[in-house]
């Protein structure tokens, strides 16, 4: 089976992990800081805080934005569950903004209309999680303007977008978002097995994130309520977690970061090849946005179902039967039973639902060969023929 995504590891990655295994620090050691500093430099951000996965990163990013009970978090329905669940972890209400029918990202115009209504109703959000779907940022310029006007915090969920850029600068640089979250799960652009990171330019947020990552503890006398009792002393000043990444994972992530450009270049090449090979099939291809350079985590197509005799499900299952591990990103989050239990229903976000009825993620990862890709295209051609 050709998977839809997979990691690319080499001997240097393995050696980097083994080196840490033989060192004094398996966790809470110096490799974590090296990984953070390398990522901050790469993204032109002032601070980077590494954690055990992007879900934890989103959780503490929301807490650092002071999201709590009585507050609202908005996000896209076309995302992984974690982009919405982080709001629920904080006791906040979650709501969604429908997607743009071309980019499949949260629609900034729909956002503007919803904000105008929310202002009248007194239901403005405190946090917006702007998901860079498939590796392409949302209309961040407009979103940042709206954030200024309506006073909400923008957290960019860039789990798909490590190595992407927007408006000529790396995603994560903090020009359009207070915090940017990355995931290093093996299907993403670079991996640390499990791992996540938050980038920010605001020192107070970085400080708070570090504290929340480790039990809400501080060893900094400036943040204590009374003078130190001695060299052993620490204080827990708020409720935090153990969301730490290990040095083993950080070593893998750091080694992978050295190959980020190469990985993204191959993903772009494969995406451009799909664009060419699929141009005459009854499918709608991804639409690049002017200011956004995607990292190409996903290559998603939409079946033009009215031009195809098989159903969406039949084409999907036909591809699986032909040994192609296609996937579907995403089932609209508001249709999940948990969110239906909170009052959402079918029909609430029609663009995301129409998208769900047509979308298929084709295999895309650096080690996918041209021959494998030709096989994917050939099978798709066979299944979409009238
Ligand atoms: C993968 C992913 C996450 C969660 O990442 P983990 O590191 O697995 O916790 C969050 N948001 C999006 C959009 C993702 O794709």
């Amino acid at each position: 089976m050709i998977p839809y995504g997979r990691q690319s590891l080499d001997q240097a990655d393995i050696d980097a992990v083994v080196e840490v295994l033989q060192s004094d620090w398996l966790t809470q050691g110096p490799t974590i800081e090296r990984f953070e500093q390398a990522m901050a430099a790469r993204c032109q951000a002032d601070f980077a805080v590494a954690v055990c996965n992007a879900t934890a990163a989103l959780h503490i990013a929301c807490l650092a934005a002071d999201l709590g009970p009585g507050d609202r978090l908005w996000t896209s329905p076309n995302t992984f569950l974690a982009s919405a669940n982080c709001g629920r972890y904080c006791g906040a209400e979650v709501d969604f903004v429908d997607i743009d029918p071309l980019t499949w990202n949260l629609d900034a115009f729909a956002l503007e209309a919803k904000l105008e209504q929310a202002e009248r109703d007194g239901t403005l959000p405190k946090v917006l999680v702007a998901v860079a779907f498939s590796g392409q940022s949302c209309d961040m310029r407009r979103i940042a303007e709206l954030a200024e006007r309506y006073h909400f915090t923008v957290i960019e969920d860039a789990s798909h977008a490590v190595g992407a850029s927007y408006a000529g600068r790396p995603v994560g640089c903090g020009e359009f978002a207070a915090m940017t979250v990355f995931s290093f799960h093996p299907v993403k652009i670079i991996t640390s097995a499990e791992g996540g990171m938050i980038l920010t330019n605001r020192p107070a947020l970085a400080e708070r994130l570090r504290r929340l990552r480790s039990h809400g503890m501080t060893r900094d006398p400036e943040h204590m309520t009374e003078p130190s009792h001695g060299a052993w002393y620490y204080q827990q000043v708020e409720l935090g977690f153990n969301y730490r990444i290990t040095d083993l994972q950080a070593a893998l992530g750091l080694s992978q970061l050295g190959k980020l450009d190469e990985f993204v270049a191959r993903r772009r090449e494969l995406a451009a090849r799909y664009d060419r090979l699929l141009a005459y099939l009854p499918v709608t291809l991804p639409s690049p946005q002017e200011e956004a350079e995607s990292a190409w985590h996903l290559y998603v197509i939409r079946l033009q179902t009215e031009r195809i005799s098989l159903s969406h499900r039949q084409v999907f299952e036909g591809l699986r039967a032909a040994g192609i591990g296609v996937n579907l990103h995403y089932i609209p989050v508001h249709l999940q039973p948990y969110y239906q239990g909170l009052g959402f229903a079918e029909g609430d976000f029609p663009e995301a639902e129409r998208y769900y009825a047509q979308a298929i993620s084709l295999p895309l990862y650096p080690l996918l060969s041209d021959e494998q890709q030709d096989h994917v295209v050939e099978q798709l051609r066979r299944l979409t023929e009238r």
Side-chain angles (χ1 to χ4, degrees):
M1 182 80 88
I2 303 174
Y4 88 86
R6 66 159 290 147
Q7 69 273 21
S8 313
L9 295 191
D10 62 14
Q11 192 58 43
D13 294 319
I14 294 165
D15 292 346
V17 176
V18 169
E19 196 179 310
V20 169
L21 269 173
Q22 292 165 332
S23 79
D24 292 336
W25 299 94
L26 301 187
T27 188
Q28 296 183 274
T31 311
I32 295 169
E33 211 172 297
R34 283 176 57 211
F35 183 30
E36 290 173 337
Q37 282 172 359
M39 190 59 97
R42 158 81 204 202
C43 295
Q44 301 173 8
D46 290 342
F47 306 99
V49 179
V51 291
C52 54
N53 55 59
T55 304
L58 287 163
H59 181 192
I60 60 174
C62 287
L63 290 173
D66 288 322
L67 187 75
D71 294 329
R72 289 177 181 77
L73 173 146
W74 291 3
T75 190
S76 169
N78 185 31
T79 186
F80 185 58
L81 309 169
S83 316
N85 288 347
C86 55
R88 299 296 300 148
Y89 298 156
C90 301
E93 263 182 51
V94 167
D95 201 354
F96 303 93
V97 180
D98 210 351
I99 61 170
D100 176 312
L102 287 179
T103 64
W104 315 328
N105 261 329
L106 181 145
D107 183 339
F109 291 96
L111 173 64
E112 185 165 10
K114 195 175 170 99
L115 286 165
E116 283 167 9
Q117 183 63 45
E119 188 173 42
R120 289 193 289 273
D121 299 345
T123 57
L124 284 169
K126 185 177 261 185
V127 167
L128 179 80
V129 176
V131 181
F133 176 75
S134 77
Q136 173 171 255
S137 284
C138 300
D139 185 347
M140 296 303 286
R141 204 179 277 286
R142 179 171 295 269
I143 287 172
E145 282 166 16
L146 292 169
E148 187 116 322
R149 187 171 347 141
Y150 292 99
H151 310 292
F152 57 84
T153 299
V154 179
I155 299 173
E156 184 168 23
D157 182 348
S159 293
H160 299 182
V162 181
S165 55
Y166 180 82
R169 294 193 63 199
V171 167
C173 72
E175 191 171 343
F176 301 101
M179 290 173 272
T180 301
V181 166
F182 291 139
S183 171
F184 309 122
H185 183 279
V187 297
K188 307 285 165 75
I189 309 284
I190 59 170
T191 189
S192 62
E194 294 279 358
M197 205 177 279
I198 308 135
L199 286 99
T200 184
N201 292 334
R202 304 190 193 169
L205 287 177
E207 164 83 30
R208 184 96 190 275
L209 291 165
R210 286 185 204 289
R211 201 162 74 196
L212 287 165
R213 161 176 78 176
S214 209
H215 309 284
M217 279 167 58
T218 183
R219 291 178 186 278
D220 180 350
E222 276 199 22
H223 292 99
M224 291 186 186
T225 57
E226 57 173 300
S228 172
H229 298 181
W232 66 86
Y233 195 59
Y234 58 83
Q235 282 190 339
Q236 183 193 348
V237 294
E238 66 178 324
L239 185 62
F241 309 87
N242 179 352
Y243 280 172
R244 294 187 302 260
I245 195 169
T246 65
D247 283 63
L248 298 173
Q249 293 165 313
L252 180 54
L254 185 60
S255 175
Q256 288 259 299
L257 181 55
K259 287 169 285 197
L260 176 58
D261 290 332
E262 191 187 309
F263 289 166
V264 172
R266 177 61 182 156
R267 285 176 177 277
R268 283 192 180 137
E269 189 175 273
L270 286 164
R273 209 164 171 272
Y274 268 137
D275 284 347
R276 275 200 311 279
L277 297 172
L278 299 174
Y280 301 101
L281 266 58
V283 298
T284 302
L285 304 181
S287 312
Q289 241 204 306
E290 204 179 308
E291 295 214 275
E293 272 226 66
S294 181
W296 289 105
H297 166 51
L298 298 175
Y299 191 94
V300 176
I301 57 162
R302 283 178 75 161
L303 300 183
Q304 295 169 359
T305 35
E306 68 290 351
R307 295 177 58 200
I308 300 170
S309 30
L310 296 182
S311 69
H312 174 240
R313 183 170 178 165
Q314 284 170 326
V315 173
F316 188 100
E317 288 174 354
L319 288 165
R320 282 271 177 97
I324 300 163
V326 285
N327 217 312
L328 207 172
H329 302 90
Y330 287 95
I331 306 163
V333 177
H334 69 283
L335 298 182
Q336 295 294 345
Y338 172 77
Y339 283 95
Q340 300 230 332
L342 295 174
F344 294 100
E346 209 172 318
D348 284 349
F349 303 99
E351 288 298 346
E353 293 171 26
R354 267 195 285 281
Y355 163 90
Y356 173 55
Q358 299 178 326
I360 298 179
S361 303
L362 302 181
L364 182 65
Y365 50 92
L367 291 173
L368 183 73
S369 68
D370 289 5
E371 294 69 34
Q372 287 173 314
Q373 192 181 30
D374 291 341
H375 174 65
V376 173
V377 171
E378 206 34 58
Q379 292 306 307
L380 189 63
R381 185 192 313 282
R382 177 177 67 78
L383 289 158
T384 55
E385 255 166 15
R386 269 213 172 271

